[in-house]
């Protein structure tokens, strides 16, 4: 073979090698451009090269090529290809095919997307079309603008907004009128703008259209099938609005529906209103008298019973008697708690029932390790705790009012006694602060007032003043056991036990019940703040009569547990 032939063959091989290398470089660039870099095989063995080349040339992909990209997880490339396809279609639609760049981030693509939704172009975008000789595309934009201007004028006529001076398409009025025409409700800011511009007629038209649409929807929702008046000024519109807002319909509204034979609407109202009342009850809201009357008239006593049961449970919780098991709304306790809640006095039989009725409650414990043991329960009657306080507060207020009405000072003595039992000794003292005992003729009344006042001083630990009242009470009525009982309690509070015993014995001689003496002693033990003093009085009692004062052992144990 001749030398020049060998040189030719060598040059040809070099050119082929160069082309091979160039194709590889081009393939690498295409993969980077179209987000397909993870596809690592060479261009000659991959279908990808020809697809990317086709995309880059602005040609549309076939369905099988799109499917190939998806199956090979080349979603970014597929997405770009689809955007290029859409861009190509937009260029064809808006006469811009002479523009070569088909990549989605092209400025032209953004312009054509605006034209597609008839969005107004900015001056710079319009000038860009002219500068790039896309005159037909610019003409299409001008045609769109001309149609919008005609449309804007029609809307101004239709919705009585012709007095607006700004007729440009950039005016806020145009999108507002478009909103009205598209049967959309206006926003608060749009209504404010119209008000500021003085477009009261436009607002009235928009609101009338909104109400008409709402009326139509409400008629369908509430089964109004045979009512000719479609105007939102109709009384039916107001009734349906009330119904939709879950408001109560009065007898006048129900009669209005009944006369027009809208029985289905009435049925829906009854079900909806009853359901809403039930939801209110579940959330803890009480029924009012109007609601109760409606439920009775419509045969929904079941909801009334539910409300009463919920109310009963809430009252039991409030007055700390959840341990009372009966949940029935007909139970006497429910009646009593309702009275206490309304600050009404109880009947003597009701108070007696509270005293006789027991509930089991956990025993208080002072032991740090009590959680390790099963809780122990004790019985107590219902007239205790918050019920006790509420009952005596109501009684105290009653007797105060009776005193104001009659000026009978026995009412003061009763009120003072009830304030003490309601744990309000200061109120009891306030009632008797300014009494002029010299002007009170009845010694029995003086003694009762002084005994009650002395008891209140004892409650606030002013024992000297308490003793002074007790001794005065004895002077006024030496045969009454009450001031003697008070003196005995005062002595026990001072830990003068033998003196206390003496006064208690004197009280018993004058008719006091020994159990009342024990109650006073128990109160001293229970309320002792100094544990050593408590132990001292307990030991004294047990030494004196371990059987009679056996109850004191439990307080001794509590004292011992509390010191651990």
């Amino acid at each position: 073979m001749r030398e020049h032939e060998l040189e030719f063959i060598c040059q040809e091989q070099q050119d082929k090698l160069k082309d091979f290398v160039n194709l590889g470089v081009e393939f690498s660039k295409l993969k980077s451009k179209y987000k397909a870099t993870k596809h690592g095989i060479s261009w000659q063995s991959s279908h990808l090269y020809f697809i990317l080349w086709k995309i880059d040339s602005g040609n549309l992909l076939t369905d099988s090529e799109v499917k190939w990209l998806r199956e090979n997880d080349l979603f970014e490339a597929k997405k770009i290809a689809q955007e290029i396809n859409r861009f190509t279609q937009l260029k064809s639609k808006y006469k811009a095919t002479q523009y070569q760049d088909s990549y989605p981030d092209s400025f032209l693509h953004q312009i054509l997307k605006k034209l597609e939704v008839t969005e107004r172009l900015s001056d710079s975008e319009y000038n860009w079309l002219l500068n790039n000789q896309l005159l037909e595309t610019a003409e299409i934009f001008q045609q769109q603008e001309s149609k919008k201007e005609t449309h804007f004028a029609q809307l101004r006529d239709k919705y009585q907004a012709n007095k607006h001076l700004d007729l440009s398409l950039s005016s806020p009025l145009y999108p507002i009128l478009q909103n009205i025409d598209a049967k959309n409700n206006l926003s608060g800011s749009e209504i404010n703008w119209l008000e500021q511009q003085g477009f009261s007629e436009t607002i009235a038209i928009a609101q009338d259209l909104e109400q008409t649409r709402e009326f139509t929807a409400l008629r369908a929702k509430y089964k109004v099938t045979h009512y000719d008046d479609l105007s939102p000024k109709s009384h039916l519109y107001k009734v349906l609005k009330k119904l939709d807002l879950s408001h109560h319909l009065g007898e006048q509204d129900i009669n209005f529906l009944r006369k027009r034979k809208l029985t289905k609407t009435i049925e829906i109202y009854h079900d909806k209103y009853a359901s809403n009342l039930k939801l209110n009850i579940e959330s803890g809201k009480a029924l009012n008298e109007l609601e109760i009357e409606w439920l009775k008239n419509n045969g929904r006593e079941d909801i009334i019973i539910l409300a009463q049961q919920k109310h009963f449970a809430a009252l039991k919780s409030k007055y700390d008697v959840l341990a009372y098991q009966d949940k029935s709304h007909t139970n006497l306790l429910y009646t009593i708690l309702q009275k206490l809640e309304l600050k009404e006095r109880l009947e003597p039989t009701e108070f007696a029932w509270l005293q006789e009725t027991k509930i089991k409650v956990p025993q208080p414990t002072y032991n740090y390790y009590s959680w390790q043991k099963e809780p122990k329960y004790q019985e107590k009657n219902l007239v205790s705790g918050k019920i006790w306080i509420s009952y005596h507060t109501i009684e105290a207020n009653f007797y105060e009012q009776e005193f104001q009405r009659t000026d009978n000072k026995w009412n003061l003595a009763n009120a003072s006694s009830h304030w003490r039992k309601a744990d309000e000794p200061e109120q009891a003292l306030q009632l008797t602060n300014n009494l002029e005992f010299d002007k009170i003729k009845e010694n029995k009344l003086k003694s009762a007032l002084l005994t009650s006042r002395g008891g209140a001083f004892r409650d606030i630990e002013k024992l000297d003043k308490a003793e002074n009242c007790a001794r005065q009470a004895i002077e006024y009525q030496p045969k009454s056991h009450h001031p003697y009982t008070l003196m005995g309690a005062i002595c026990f509070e001072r830990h003068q036990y033998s003196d206390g015993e003496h006064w208690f014995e004197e009280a018993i001689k004058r008719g006091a019940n020994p159990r009342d003496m024990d109650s006073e002693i128990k109160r001293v033990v229970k309320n002792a703040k100094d544990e050593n003093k408590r132990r001292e009085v307990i030991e004294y009692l047990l030494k004196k009569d371990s059987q009679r004062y056996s109850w004191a052992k439990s307080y001794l144990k509590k004292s011992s547990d509390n010191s651990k």
Side-chain angles (χ1 to χ4, degrees), residues 156-195:
R156 293 197 304 273
D157 286 338
K158 184 175 181 180
Y159 298 110
Q160 299 182 24
N162 274 318
K163 63 182 179 182
H164 192 52
L165 298 177
D166 185 359
L167 303 181
S168 68
L169 296 176
S170 60
S171 165
L173 179 61
Y174 185 36
I176 291 176
L177 296 181
Q178 284 179 301
N179 248 346
I180 297 173
D181 206 51
K183 299 180 179 179
N184 296 324
N185 294 345
L186 294 184
S187 67
S189 59
E190 289 173 326
I191 292 173
N192 288 338
W193 188 88
L194 290 172
E195 286 175 343

Short mmCIF file of all heavy atoms in Angstrom, two decimals, residues 156-195:
data_model
loop_
_atom_site.label_atom_id
_atom_site.label_comp_id
_atom_site.label_asym_id
_atom_site.label_seq_id
_atom_site.Cartn_x
_atom_site.Cartn_y
_atom_site.Cartn_z
N ARG A 156 -69.09 47.84 33.22
CA ARG A 156 -69.39 49.12 33.87
C ARG A 156 -70.85 49.50 33.65
O ARG A 156 -71.52 50.02 34.55
CB ARG A 156 -68.45 50.23 33.38
CG ARG A 156 -66.99 50.05 33.79
CD ARG A 156 -66.21 51.34 33.65
NE ARG A 156 -66.26 51.90 32.32
CZ ARG A 156 -65.44 51.60 31.31
NH1 ARG A 156 -64.47 50.71 31.51
NH2 ARG A 156 -65.56 52.16 30.12
N ASP A 157 -71.33 49.26 32.42
CA ASP A 157 -72.74 49.54 32.14
C ASP A 157 -73.65 48.61 32.94
O ASP A 157 -74.65 49.04 33.53
CB ASP A 157 -73.03 49.35 30.64
CG ASP A 157 -72.47 50.49 29.81
OD1 ASP A 157 -72.25 51.58 30.38
OD2 ASP A 157 -72.24 50.30 28.60
N LYS A 158 -73.28 47.34 32.93
CA LYS A 158 -74.13 46.31 33.56
C LYS A 158 -74.27 46.51 35.06
O LYS A 158 -75.35 46.30 35.63
CB LYS A 158 -73.53 44.92 33.27
CG LYS A 158 -74.35 43.76 33.78
CD LYS A 158 -73.72 42.44 33.35
CE LYS A 158 -74.55 41.24 33.81
NZ LYS A 158 -73.92 39.96 33.38
N TYR A 159 -73.17 46.94 35.70
CA TYR A 159 -73.17 47.06 37.16
C TYR A 159 -73.12 48.51 37.64
O TYR A 159 -72.69 48.78 38.77
CB TYR A 159 -72.01 46.24 37.74
CG TYR A 159 -72.16 44.77 37.43
CD1 TYR A 159 -71.30 44.14 36.54
CD2 TYR A 159 -73.19 44.02 37.98
CE1 TYR A 159 -71.44 42.79 36.22
CE2 TYR A 159 -73.35 42.68 37.67
CZ TYR A 159 -72.47 42.07 36.79
OH TYR A 159 -72.64 40.73 36.49
N GLN A 160 -73.55 49.44 36.77
CA GLN A 160 -73.74 50.85 37.12
C GLN A 160 -72.50 51.46 37.76
O GLN A 160 -72.54 52.01 38.86
CB GLN A 160 -74.96 50.99 38.05
CG GLN A 160 -76.26 50.52 37.41
CD GLN A 160 -77.45 50.70 38.31
OE1 GLN A 160 -77.44 51.54 39.21
NE2 GLN A 160 -78.52 49.94 38.07
N ALA A 161 -71.37 51.34 37.03
CA ALA A 161 -70.10 51.87 37.55
C ALA A 161 -69.45 52.78 36.52
O ALA A 161 -68.22 52.85 36.43
CB ALA A 161 -69.17 50.71 37.91
N ASN A 162 -70.26 53.51 35.74
CA ASN A 162 -69.73 54.33 34.66
C ASN A 162 -69.10 55.64 35.11
O ASN A 162 -68.37 56.26 34.35
CB ASN A 162 -70.83 54.63 33.63
CG ASN A 162 -70.95 53.51 32.61
OD1 ASN A 162 -69.94 53.00 32.14
ND2 ASN A 162 -72.17 53.12 32.29
N LYS A 163 -69.38 56.04 36.33
CA LYS A 163 -68.83 57.34 36.77
C LYS A 163 -67.37 57.27 37.17
O LYS A 163 -66.77 58.26 37.52
CB LYS A 163 -69.67 57.90 37.91
CG LYS A 163 -69.67 57.07 39.18
CD LYS A 163 -70.57 57.71 40.23
CE LYS A 163 -70.62 56.88 41.50
NZ LYS A 163 -71.52 57.47 42.51
N HIS A 164 -66.79 56.06 37.09
CA HIS A 164 -65.37 55.91 37.46
C HIS A 164 -64.50 56.54 36.39
O HIS A 164 -64.65 56.28 35.19
CB HIS A 164 -65.05 54.42 37.60
CG HIS A 164 -63.73 54.16 38.25
ND1 HIS A 164 -63.36 54.73 39.45
CD2 HIS A 164 -62.67 53.41 37.85
CE1 HIS A 164 -62.16 54.33 39.77
NE2 HIS A 164 -61.72 53.53 38.81
N LEU A 165 -63.56 57.37 36.79
CA LEU A 165 -62.72 58.11 35.84
C LEU A 165 -61.62 57.25 35.24
O LEU A 165 -61.24 57.44 34.09
CB LEU A 165 -62.12 59.33 36.55
CG LEU A 165 -63.14 60.37 37.07
CD1 LEU A 165 -62.41 61.50 37.80
CD2 LEU A 165 -63.97 60.92 35.92
N ASP A 166 -61.08 56.32 36.00
CA ASP A 166 -59.98 55.47 35.51
C ASP A 166 -60.57 54.33 34.69
O ASP A 166 -61.13 53.38 35.23
CB ASP A 166 -59.18 54.94 36.70
CG ASP A 166 -57.96 54.14 36.26
OD1 ASP A 166 -57.75 54.01 35.04
OD2 ASP A 166 -57.22 53.65 37.14
N LEU A 167 -60.43 54.42 33.35
CA LEU A 167 -61.00 53.40 32.46
C LEU A 167 -59.97 52.38 32.01
O LEU A 167 -60.25 51.52 31.18
CB LEU A 167 -61.62 54.08 31.22
CG LEU A 167 -62.70 55.14 31.52
CD1 LEU A 167 -63.24 55.72 30.21
CD2 LEU A 167 -63.83 54.53 32.32
N SER A 168 -58.74 52.48 32.55
CA SER A 168 -57.69 51.56 32.14
C SER A 168 -57.93 50.18 32.73
O SER A 168 -58.59 50.03 33.76
CB SER A 168 -56.32 52.08 32.60
OG SER A 168 -56.23 52.02 34.01
N LEU A 169 -57.37 49.18 32.04
CA LEU A 169 -57.53 47.80 32.49
C LEU A 169 -56.80 47.54 33.79
O LEU A 169 -57.06 46.53 34.46
CB LEU A 169 -57.05 46.83 31.41
CG LEU A 169 -57.85 46.85 30.10
CD1 LEU A 169 -57.21 45.93 29.07
CD2 LEU A 169 -59.29 46.46 30.34
N SER A 170 -55.88 48.41 34.17
CA SER A 170 -55.16 48.25 35.43
C SER A 170 -55.94 48.78 36.63
O SER A 170 -55.51 48.64 37.76
CB SER A 170 -53.80 48.96 35.35
OG SER A 170 -53.99 50.35 35.11
N SER A 171 -57.11 49.35 36.38
CA SER A 171 -57.94 49.88 37.46
C SER A 171 -58.43 48.73 38.35
O SER A 171 -58.81 47.66 37.85
CB SER A 171 -59.15 50.62 36.88
OG SER A 171 -60.13 50.84 37.89
N PRO A 172 -58.46 48.91 39.68
CA PRO A 172 -58.98 47.87 40.58
C PRO A 172 -60.44 47.52 40.30
O PRO A 172 -60.91 46.44 40.67
CB PRO A 172 -58.82 48.49 41.97
CG PRO A 172 -57.81 49.56 41.82
CD PRO A 172 -57.94 50.07 40.42
N LEU A 173 -61.15 48.46 39.62
CA LEU A 173 -62.57 48.23 39.35
C LEU A 173 -62.78 47.02 38.43
O LEU A 173 -63.75 46.27 38.61
CB LEU A 173 -63.20 49.48 38.73
CG LEU A 173 -64.69 49.39 38.37
CD1 LEU A 173 -65.52 49.11 39.63
CD2 LEU A 173 -65.16 50.65 37.66
N TYR A 174 -61.88 46.85 37.44
CA TYR A 174 -62.09 45.78 36.45
C TYR A 174 -62.13 44.39 37.09
O TYR A 174 -63.10 43.64 36.87
CB TYR A 174 -61.00 45.87 35.38
CG TYR A 174 -61.19 44.89 34.24
CD1 TYR A 174 -62.46 44.56 33.77
CD2 TYR A 174 -60.08 44.29 33.62
CE1 TYR A 174 -62.63 43.66 32.72
CE2 TYR A 174 -60.25 43.40 32.58
CZ TYR A 174 -61.52 43.08 32.13
OH TYR A 174 -61.68 42.19 31.11
N PRO A 175 -61.10 43.99 37.90
CA PRO A 175 -61.20 42.64 38.51
C PRO A 175 -62.38 42.51 39.48
O PRO A 175 -62.93 41.41 39.64
CB PRO A 175 -59.87 42.49 39.25
CG PRO A 175 -59.31 43.87 39.39
CD PRO A 175 -59.81 44.63 38.21
N ILE A 176 -62.79 43.63 40.10
CA ILE A 176 -63.95 43.55 41.01
C ILE A 176 -65.22 43.25 40.21
O ILE A 176 -66.02 42.37 40.58
CB ILE A 176 -64.11 44.87 41.80
CG1 ILE A 176 -62.97 45.04 42.80
CG2 ILE A 176 -65.46 44.91 42.52
CD1 ILE A 176 -62.98 46.34 43.56
N LEU A 177 -65.40 43.96 39.07
CA LEU A 177 -66.57 43.70 38.23
C LEU A 177 -66.52 42.31 37.63
O LEU A 177 -67.57 41.64 37.47
CB LEU A 177 -66.66 44.76 37.13
CG LEU A 177 -66.88 46.21 37.60
CD1 LEU A 177 -66.98 47.15 36.41
CD2 LEU A 177 -68.13 46.32 38.46
N GLN A 178 -65.33 41.83 37.30
CA GLN A 178 -65.19 40.45 36.80
C GLN A 178 -65.63 39.45 37.86
O GLN A 178 -66.29 38.44 37.55
CB GLN A 178 -63.73 40.19 36.41
CG GLN A 178 -63.31 40.82 35.09
CD GLN A 178 -61.85 40.53 34.78
OE1 GLN A 178 -60.96 40.88 35.56
NE2 GLN A 178 -61.60 39.90 33.65
N ASN A 179 -65.27 39.73 39.10
CA ASN A 179 -65.66 38.86 40.21
C ASN A 179 -67.18 38.79 40.33
O ASN A 179 -67.76 37.72 40.51
CB ASN A 179 -65.08 39.39 41.52
CG ASN A 179 -64.01 38.47 42.08
OD1 ASN A 179 -63.88 37.33 41.67
ND2 ASN A 179 -63.26 38.97 43.03
N ILE A 180 -67.82 39.97 40.26
CA ILE A 180 -69.28 40.01 40.36
C ILE A 180 -69.90 39.22 39.21
O ILE A 180 -70.82 38.42 39.41
CB ILE A 180 -69.79 41.47 40.33
CG1 ILE A 180 -69.26 42.25 41.55
CG2 ILE A 180 -71.32 41.51 40.30
CD1 ILE A 180 -69.57 43.74 41.52
N ASP A 181 -69.35 39.42 38.01
CA ASP A 181 -69.91 38.77 36.82
C ASP A 181 -69.69 37.25 36.84
O ASP A 181 -70.48 36.50 36.26
CB ASP A 181 -69.30 39.37 35.56
CG ASP A 181 -70.21 39.25 34.35
OD1 ASP A 181 -71.38 39.65 34.47
OD2 ASP A 181 -69.76 38.74 33.31
N ALA A 182 -68.62 36.83 37.54
CA ALA A 182 -68.33 35.40 37.64
C ALA A 182 -69.12 34.74 38.78
O ALA A 182 -68.88 33.58 39.11
CB ALA A 182 -66.84 35.19 37.85
N LYS A 183 -70.03 35.50 39.38
CA LYS A 183 -70.88 35.01 40.47
C LYS A 183 -70.08 34.63 41.71
O LYS A 183 -70.39 33.68 42.41
CB LYS A 183 -71.73 33.82 40.00
CG LYS A 183 -72.65 34.16 38.84
CD LYS A 183 -73.48 32.96 38.41
CE LYS A 183 -74.40 33.36 37.27
NZ LYS A 183 -75.22 32.21 36.79
N ASN A 184 -69.04 35.42 41.95
CA ASN A 184 -68.25 35.24 43.17
C ASN A 184 -68.65 36.32 44.18
O ASN A 184 -68.96 37.46 43.81
CB ASN A 184 -66.75 35.37 42.87
CG ASN A 184 -66.26 34.27 41.96
OD1 ASN A 184 -66.72 33.13 42.04
ND2 ASN A 184 -65.32 34.59 41.08
N ASN A 185 -68.61 35.97 45.45
CA ASN A 185 -68.89 36.94 46.50
C ASN A 185 -67.71 37.88 46.67
O ASN A 185 -66.55 37.45 46.61
CB ASN A 185 -69.19 36.25 47.82
CG ASN A 185 -70.48 35.45 47.77
OD1 ASN A 185 -71.29 35.62 46.86
ND2 ASN A 185 -70.68 34.59 48.74
N LEU A 186 -68.00 39.16 46.87
CA LEU A 186 -66.93 40.14 47.04
C LEU A 186 -66.31 40.02 48.43
O LEU A 186 -66.99 39.71 49.41
CB LEU A 186 -67.47 41.56 46.86
CG LEU A 186 -67.98 41.92 45.45
CD1 LEU A 186 -68.40 43.38 45.42
CD2 LEU A 186 -66.92 41.65 44.39
N SER A 187 -65.00 40.29 48.50
CA SER A 187 -64.31 40.29 49.79
C SER A 187 -64.57 41.61 50.51
O SER A 187 -65.05 42.59 49.90
CB SER A 187 -62.80 40.10 49.57
OG SER A 187 -62.26 41.24 48.91
N GLY A 188 -64.22 41.65 51.77
CA GLY A 188 -64.38 42.87 52.56
C GLY A 188 -63.58 44.02 51.99
O GLY A 188 -64.05 45.17 51.94
N SER A 189 -62.36 43.75 51.52
CA SER A 189 -61.50 44.81 50.98
C SER A 189 -62.08 45.36 49.67
O SER A 189 -61.99 46.56 49.39
CB SER A 189 -60.08 44.28 50.75
OG SER A 189 -60.09 43.18 49.85
N GLU A 190 -62.70 44.49 48.85
CA GLU A 190 -63.31 44.95 47.60
C GLU A 190 -64.52 45.84 47.88
O GLU A 190 -64.69 46.87 47.22
CB GLU A 190 -63.72 43.73 46.76
CG GLU A 190 -62.53 42.97 46.18
CD GLU A 190 -62.92 41.67 45.49
OE1 GLU A 190 -63.88 41.02 45.96
OE2 GLU A 190 -62.27 41.30 44.49
N ILE A 191 -65.33 45.43 48.85
CA ILE A 191 -66.50 46.26 49.22
C ILE A 191 -66.04 47.60 49.77
O ILE A 191 -66.61 48.65 49.43
CB ILE A 191 -67.37 45.51 50.24
CG1 ILE A 191 -68.02 44.28 49.58
CG2 ILE A 191 -68.45 46.42 50.80
CD1 ILE A 191 -68.77 43.39 50.54
N ASN A 192 -64.98 47.60 50.58
CA ASN A 192 -64.44 48.86 51.13
C ASN A 192 -63.98 49.79 50.01
O ASN A 192 -64.23 51.00 50.06
CB ASN A 192 -63.28 48.57 52.08
CG ASN A 192 -63.75 47.97 53.39
OD1 ASN A 192 -64.91 48.12 53.77
ND2 ASN A 192 -62.87 47.28 54.09
N TRP A 193 -63.32 49.22 49.00
CA TRP A 193 -62.84 50.04 47.87
C TRP A 193 -64.01 50.66 47.12
O TRP A 193 -64.00 51.84 46.77
CB TRP A 193 -61.99 49.19 46.93
CG TRP A 193 -61.29 50.00 45.86
CD1 TRP A 193 -60.08 50.61 45.94
CD2 TRP A 193 -61.82 50.32 44.56
NE1 TRP A 193 -59.80 51.28 44.78
CE2 TRP A 193 -60.86 51.13 43.91
CE3 TRP A 193 -63.00 50.02 43.88
CZ2 TRP A 193 -61.04 51.62 42.62
CZ3 TRP A 193 -63.18 50.51 42.60
CH2 TRP A 193 -62.22 51.29 41.98
N LEU A 194 -65.04 49.84 46.86
CA LEU A 194 -66.23 50.36 46.17
C LEU A 194 -66.90 51.46 46.98
O LEU A 194 -67.35 52.47 46.42
CB LEU A 194 -67.21 49.22 45.91
CG LEU A 194 -66.79 48.17 44.87
CD1 LEU A 194 -67.77 47.00 44.86
CD2 LEU A 194 -66.71 48.80 43.47
N GLU A 195 -66.96 51.29 48.31
CA GLU A 195 -67.56 52.31 49.16
C GLU A 195 -66.77 53.61 49.09
O GLU A 195 -67.34 54.70 49.01
CB GLU A 195 -67.63 51.82 50.61
CG GLU A 195 -68.70 50.76 50.85
CD GLU A 195 -68.65 50.20 52.26
OE1 GLU A 195 -67.61 50.38 52.93
OE2 GLU A 195 -69.63 49.57 52.68
#
